[in-house]
Amino acid sequence: MESRVKFHLKNAVLLLAIVSLSIAITINFRPLYAFFVNRYHLYQEVGLSKKQLFSEYGTLLNYLNFPWVSHLQLSIPMSQSGMKHFADCKILFLLDYAVCLLTVPFAALYVRELVRKGQTWRLINPIRWCFVIMSVLGIFLVTDFEDFFVKFHEILFRNSDWMFDPSTDPIILALPAEFFMACFILFIILFVIFQGILFARGKWEIRH
């Protein structure tokens, strides 16, 4: 049996893989944004057609996702602080992708090894703790999203550029708080699904 330190380190990498992969899927899940565009007619908020707004959103994602896209060119007006905020977001996006690329292959090999040896059950207790943490996060999220959203930005950003003024950065009208809350919920759902699969496998091993 491997040492507890090595086991916990492997679990930490697995956790990073699941978190980073869940984030990557969430931020690129365009059907979620399409739902909000159609539900709340967000294109009308910024004076664009639905097709134009989807194009703008695609341009924004391309800027955030790809290192070689160095300039954000939108038809929607944007202030310097708004541009700076999206530049900061781009760094976080690329950091998440780097973590994902580094950890997911290892995590896949680690899980494969556990399944082969019939030791996935060893993940049950760590996963239980993750479920508890996600439950607390989910409760905080749905009961006081505004405070959660503010604290989230205060932790990740060391400036106030994220506090958009609709008069100078009307793009915020096309990115309502409800959409961001749905993104956080989708992240939690994906995280729980990935962890739940491992949890179910571990339980199955115990029963058999």
Side-chain angles (χ1 to χ4, degrees):
M1 189 73 71
E2 65 186 345
S3 69
R4 292 183 62 85
V5 172
K6 189 175 181 180
F7 175 67
H8 290 314
L9 285 175
K10 287 182 177 181
N11 286 345
V13 175
L14 176 60
L15 179 62
L16 283 174
I18 292 175
V19 169
S20 61
L21 182 59
S22 298
I23 292 173
I25 294 173
T26 297
I27 58 184
N28 288 286
F29 192 66
R30 300 193 187 202
L32 182 61
Y33 186 65
F35 169 79
F36 279 87
V37 170
N38 292 313
R39 175 70 175 81
Y40 296 102
H41 308 292
L42 299 179
Y43 47 93
Q44 296 178 353
E45 298 290 336
V46 289
L48 298 176
S49 68
K50 186 186 299 185
K51 183 178 180 180
Q52 287 173 326
L53 181 56
F54 282 138
S55 177
E56 293 286 279
Y57 186 68
T59 299
L60 176 60
L61 281 185
N62 288 339
Y63 169 74
L64 294 172
N65 283 334
F66 303 124
W68 54 87
V69 180
S70 59
H71 183 64
L72 179 58
Q73 186 72 44
L74 298 177
S75 62
I76 302 175
M78 190 176 303
S79 67
Q80 287 298 316
S81 61
M83 294 289 291
K84 178 64 168 57
H85 176 64
F86 282 119
D88 292 338
C89 289
K90 182 182 180 75
I91 294 173
L92 294 177
F93 273 45
L94 296 180
L95 177 61
D96 179 73
Y97 294 145
V99 172
C100 192
L101 288 173
L102 290 173
T103 59
V104 167
F106 169 84
L109 291 174
Y110 175 46
V111 170
R112 181 182 177 184
E113 177 187 11
L114 289 174
V115 170
R116 182 177 61 84
K117 294 180 178 180
Q119 295 183 355
T120 316
W121 58 267
R122 300 178 67 196
L123 299 176
I124 288 177
N125 282 336
I127 289 175
R128 279 177 175 154
W129 280 107
C130 288
F131 283 162
V132 170
I133 293 172
M134 279 299 163
S135 297
V136 172
L137 180 64
I139 293 171
F140 185 28
L141 179 66
V142 298
T143 57
D144 192 2
F145 178 71
E146 184 176 349
D147 191 39
F148 171 86
F149 195 64
V150 170
K151 291 186 183 303
F152 174 81
H153 281 78
E154 288 177 346
I155 291 171
L156 289 184
F157 304 102
R158 297 304 177 185
N159 53 51
S160 59
D161 292 337
W162 59 273
M163 300 176 69
F164 280 33
D165 182 347
S167 64
T168 56
D169 291 290
I171 191 172
I172 195 61
L173 298 174
L175 297 168
E178 293 83 359
F179 168 65
F180 288 110
M181 182 169 71
C183 287
F184 281 109
I185 292 173
L186 176 59
F187 162 76
I188 292 175
I189 291 172
L190 291 170
F191 181 88
V192 170
I193 288 174
F194 288 134
Q195 294 273 40
I197 292 171
L198 296 175
F199 187 86
R201 172 69 190 193
K203 284 289 189 180
W204 180 88
E205 288 176 357
I206 291 175
R207 288 197 303 270
H208 294 79

